[in-house]
């Protein structure tokens, strides 16, 4: 009998291997895929996070946040996996910037695999920066490769039925009522509706929203 842990692990391993083969030419090494709840994050990449007790093996981590599985489509959840795989690719074959920063090299790889980087998760957002999400390019490589996987019968084995506070999960609202905005120069913060355009009074710079849908960090 297959256990829940085995079902979940197998599903994400199948997806990882499929995207590695079809989007990264099989170049990525294996990694440890975990489920981690991190505020506002759909997922994150952590290079060389885990190692064997005797140091005979070191592996990267890709964490997926199960708190968002129910409110998103299978394609959207898997796009997070591919997003983090682009970080893993850069860690092994590129030149990552400081922790959590999404640079031009990473953004170019995202375009190559069919995901458009965006600080807002929508067209028009910044492609590089500390907090960058993405949206799926219609008809792009990821969309086509993911459709193949889903057509073969892939689905998420489990979604959360309860929140951390013990309440049944409700359907998520389309946008947060309050979003944090941060000045990229001085770091000042402000809060407001997600569609606002706020200028920092001290620096006269446009403040960036951290309600990007997917705030991942190279922890």
């Amino acid at each position: 009998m297959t256990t829940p842990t085995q079902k979940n692990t197998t599903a994400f391993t199948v997806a990882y291997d499929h995207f590695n083969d079809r989007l990264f030419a099989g170049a990525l090494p294996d990694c440890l895929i975990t489920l981690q709840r991190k505020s506002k994050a759909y997922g994150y990449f952590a290079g060389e996070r885990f190692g064997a007790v005797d140091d005979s093996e070191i592996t990267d981590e890709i964490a997926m946040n199960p708190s968002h599985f129910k409110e998103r489509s299978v394609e959207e959840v898997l796009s997070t996996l591919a997003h983090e795989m682009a970080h893993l690719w850069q860690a092994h074959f590129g030149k990552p910037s400081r922790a959590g920063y999404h640079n031009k090299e990473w953004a170019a790889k995202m375009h190559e695999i069919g995901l458009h980087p965006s600080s807002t998760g929508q067209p028009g957002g910044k492609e590089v920066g500390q907090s960058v999400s993405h949206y799926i390019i219609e008809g792009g490589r990821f969309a086509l490769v993911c459709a193949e996987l889903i057509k073969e019968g892939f689905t998420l084995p489990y979604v959360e039925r309860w929140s951390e506070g013990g309440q049944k999960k409700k359907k998520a609202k389309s946008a947060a009522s309050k979003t944090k905005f941060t000045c990229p120069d001085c770091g000042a913060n402000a809060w407001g509706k997600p569609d606002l355009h706020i200028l920092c009074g001290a620096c006269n710079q446009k403040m960036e929203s951290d309600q990007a849908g997917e705030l991942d960090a190279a922890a």
Side-chain angles (χ1 to χ4, degrees), residues 99-161:
Y101 190 83
H102 302 68
N103 63 23
K104 291 182 179 180
E105 180 185 60
W106 171 86
K109 192 65 177 179
M110 288 284 282
H111 279 287
E112 181 184 316
I113 67 173
L115 298 175
H116 197 297
S118 168
S119 58
T120 63
Q122 301 293 332
K126 291 185 177 180
E127 295 193 6
V128 298
Q130 196 67 25
S131 298
V132 179
S133 181
H134 68 267
Y135 58 89
I136 299 169
I137 299 173
E138 185 176 355
R141 290 181 65 201
F142 173 82
L144 297 176
V145 167
C146 187
E148 291 176 358
L149 184 62
I150 293 174
K151 187 176 181 180
E152 292 171 0
F154 180 91
T155 188
L156 297 174
Y158 300 101
V159 297
E160 283 192 344
R161 298 178 62 243

Side-chain angles (χ1 to χ4, degrees), residues 9 16 31 36 42 51-52 55 71 94 101 108 126 131 136-137 148 162 168 196-197 203 206:
T9 300
Y16 182 92
C31 72
Q36 303 282 354
Y42 286 160
D55 289 330
E71 69 195 44
Y101 190 83
K126 291 185 177 180
S131 298
I136 299 169
I137 299 173
E148 291 176 358
W162 301 92
K168 278 193 174 181
L196 290 179
H197 298 279
C203 306
K206 182 179 179 182

Side-chain angles (χ1 to χ4, degrees), residues 7-88:
K7 288 179 182 178
N8 202 68
T9 300
T10 298
F12 281 107
T13 299
V14 167
Y16 182 92
D17 290 345
H18 181 75
F19 293 144
N20 188 16
D21 179 58
R22 304 285 276 114
L23 298 177
F24 297 90
L28 303 187
D30 292 331
C31 72
L32 184 61
I33 302 174
T34 64
L35 299 182
Q36 303 282 354
R37 295 178 183 86
K38 186 174 182 179
S39 178
K40 296 183 181 179
Y42 286 160
Y44 64 81
F45 167 74
E48 299 186 347
R49 168 64 66 85
F50 289 95
V53 175
D54 62 0
D55 289 330
S56 61
E57 180 186 3
I58 296 176
T59 186
D60 306 312
E61 176 191 23
I62 287 181
M64 303 290 292
N65 190 341
S67 296
H68 300 284
F69 288 178
K70 191 171 184 178
E71 69 195 44
R72 305 175 74 206
S73 68
V74 173
E75 182 185 42
E76 289 170 336
V77 172
L78 292 179
S79 75
T80 295
L81 177 63
H83 176 128
E84 306 310 334
M85 290 173 72
H87 283 298
L88 189 151

